[in-house]
């Protein structure tokens, strides 16, 4: 940088030139900062070829509401079945006959009860998963946004619909509880 011209005897001294790190900061975080375009090819990444029509079709199918609902239904069925078998395995009353409390249940009876509980849990989890996924997809399509509010709204709808079978109060509690749980899961995952 050039030195400032000498000032006349009655004028105030000119301000000193800015320090070099001040100029650097203006370019890094200040007003002179230029936005960067994130191009993987310039950063040493692998360039991606354009997607074929088949890839676009598969993406459309995988992002559709019916596919998401079916995936949630199958996942809920598997998870519910595993949870039901696990809870039946640690339950001391599995295979217990109330008519004859001193009789020890056979392995066949215990496995039958475990299977029944596993299927029951699997069906319930599958229904809840499909319901939640469908409502979330519909809410997301209606709002045109993908954010945490979609899961809270769909959690409230799903919990309210499930709880409403037991009455209005249970529906309201189900709505609030499922919405809060959905918000917590969405906060944790995002």
């Amino acid at each position: 940088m050039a030195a400032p011209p000498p000032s006349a005897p009655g004028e105030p001294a000119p301000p000193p030139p800015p320090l070099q790190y001040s100029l650097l900061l203006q370019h890094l975080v200040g007003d002179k900062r230029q936005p960067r375009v994130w191009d993987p090819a310039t950063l040493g990444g692998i360039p991606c070829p354009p997607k074929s029509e088949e890839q676009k079709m598969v993406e459309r199918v995988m992002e559709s509401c019916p596919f998401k609902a079916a995936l949630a239904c199958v996942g809920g069925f598997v998870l519910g079945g595993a949870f039901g078998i696990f809870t039946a395995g640690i339950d001391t009353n599995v295979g217990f006959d109330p008519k004859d409390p001193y009789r020890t249940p056979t392995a066949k009876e215990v496995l039958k009860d475990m299977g029944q509980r596993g299927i029951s849990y699997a069906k319930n989890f599958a229904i809840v998963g499909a319901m939640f996924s469908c409502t979330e997809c519909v809410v997301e399509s209606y709002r045109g946004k993908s954010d945490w509010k979609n899961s809270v709204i769909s959690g409230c709808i799903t919990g309210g619909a499930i709880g409403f079978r037991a009455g209005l109060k249970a529906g309201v509690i189900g709505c609030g509880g499922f919405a809060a749980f959905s918000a917590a899961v969405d906060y944790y995952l995002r």
Side-chain angles (χ1 to χ4, degrees):
M1 293 186 87
S7 60
E11 294 179 21
L19 298 174
Q20 292 299 320
Y21 68 87
S22 296
L23 292 174
L24 181 65
L25 284 176
Q26 284 180 354
H27 285 281
L28 290 177
V29 294
D31 297 334
K32 296 181 180 178
R33 182 174 153 242
Q34 299 291 324
R36 293 185 67 180
V37 178
W38 291 100
D39 184 14
T42 61
L43 297 175
I46 300 172
C48 297
K51 294 181 182 175
S52 67
E53 287 301 316
E54 292 85 14
Q55 288 174 324
K56 291 178 184 177
M57 184 184 69
V58 168
E59 279 185 359
R60 281 193 301 270
V61 168
M62 292 182 78
E63 291 175 1
S64 67
C65 290
F67 181 81
K68 288 180 181 179
L71 189 64
C73 186
V74 170
F77 189 85
V78 170
L79 184 65
F83 188 69
I85 290 172
F86 173 74
T87 57
I90 61 173
D91 188 5
T92 57
N93 293 327
V94 171
F96 177 72
D97 186 11
K99 296 176 187 171
D100 189 9
Y102 296 110
R103 187 176 77 76
T104 303
T106 64
K108 184 178 180 178
E109 292 170 340
V110 171
L111 290 174
K112 181 181 175 187
D113 282 354
M114 288 174 72
Q116 288 174 344
R117 188 179 292 186
I119 291 295
S120 173
Y121 275 53
K123 289 190 293 187
N124 289 334
F125 275 55
I127 290 169
V128 170
M131 244 175 113
F132 179 80
S133 180
C134 282
T135 55
E136 185 178 33
C137 194
V138 169
V139 167
E140 184 176 326
S141 298
Y142 178 75
R143 290 185 67 229
K145 296 179 184 176
S146 180
D147 58 1
W148 62 273
K149 293 177 186 176
N150 295 340
S151 62
V152 171
I153 293 168
S154 58
C156 180
I157 292 169
T158 304
I162 292 170
F164 190 66
R165 295 184 302 175
L168 182 62
K169 184 178 179 183
V172 170
I173 292 172
C175 171
F178 214 108
F181 181 72
S182 298
V185 168
D186 201 65
Y187 176 77
Y188 179 73
L189 292 179
R190 287 189 192 220

